[in-house]
Amino acid sequence: MSLKQEPEKRKRKSNFSRRGFLQGVGVTSGVLTTGVLETPTEAQTAKVSGPGEVPITLQINGKPYKTSVEPRATLLDTLRHRLELTAAKRVCDRGTCGACTMIVDGKVMYSCTVLAIDAQGRQIQTLEGISPAGKPHAVSKAFVANDAQQCGYCTPGFVVAAKGFLDRNPNPTYEEVKTGLGGNLCRCGTYMGVRRAVLDAAKELNGGKNA
Ligand code: FES
Ligand code: FES
């Protein structure tokens, strides 16, 4: 066989195309990332968005916000870079520190692990909504009273996580607070102050009583 015939032979043997491969990977990644495509039938009929920007509407702190983002944009980056809601911080950007905590449909979530397009139709609560200017939430006030911050980078995430925790468990013990806020990290080590603040906030919200 001559060398000239080799490329032709390779072409006939392979049905592989780069475009087909990339399309396949795109659908598979969608299933893994969002967790909303549960059956093969749904996955096969899933609408493919992007790769350019797509218009979205997010319901944040009770108000609709319209913008457009690439489908790969996280909820955290969308709020910080497109909607000027910067209370949630971007620290690890991989779901380990909790600085980006938001409450989505009543659940405390790392917003750096949620795609903005998947957050459409959900109720999103951020620190801006929990503690509007001039009206600090009981948790925010207790953080100040207990000196529960140093550099402050973790504080917005802790306050939101604590608010979500107290919504579910309004009268916690110290051990429950410790476990309940285990998803948030503080590099300055303010954990004792944070836990005292959450217990004080619970007391205030319960009219002066603790567990
Ligand atoms: S920035 Fe999201 S968990 Fe750290
Ligand atoms: S106060 Fe600095 S990281 Fe928590």
Side-chain angles (χ1 to χ4, degrees), residues 1-17:
M1 184 184 302
S2 75
L3 282 174
K4 230 178 161 182
Q5 288 170 320
E6 278 287 325
E8 261 314 296
K9 191 182 168 199
R10 277 207 299 274
K11 204 170 164 188
R12 278 201 306 273
K13 270 189 158 177
S14 171
N15 289 326
F16 177 88
S17 81

Side-chain angles (χ1 to χ4, degrees), residues 76 89-100 110 112:
L76 173 67
K89 302 290 179 262
R90 191 181 201 249
V91 177
C92 70
D93 201 28
R94 58 191 62 201
T96 47
C97 74
C100 63
Y110 296 135
C112 69

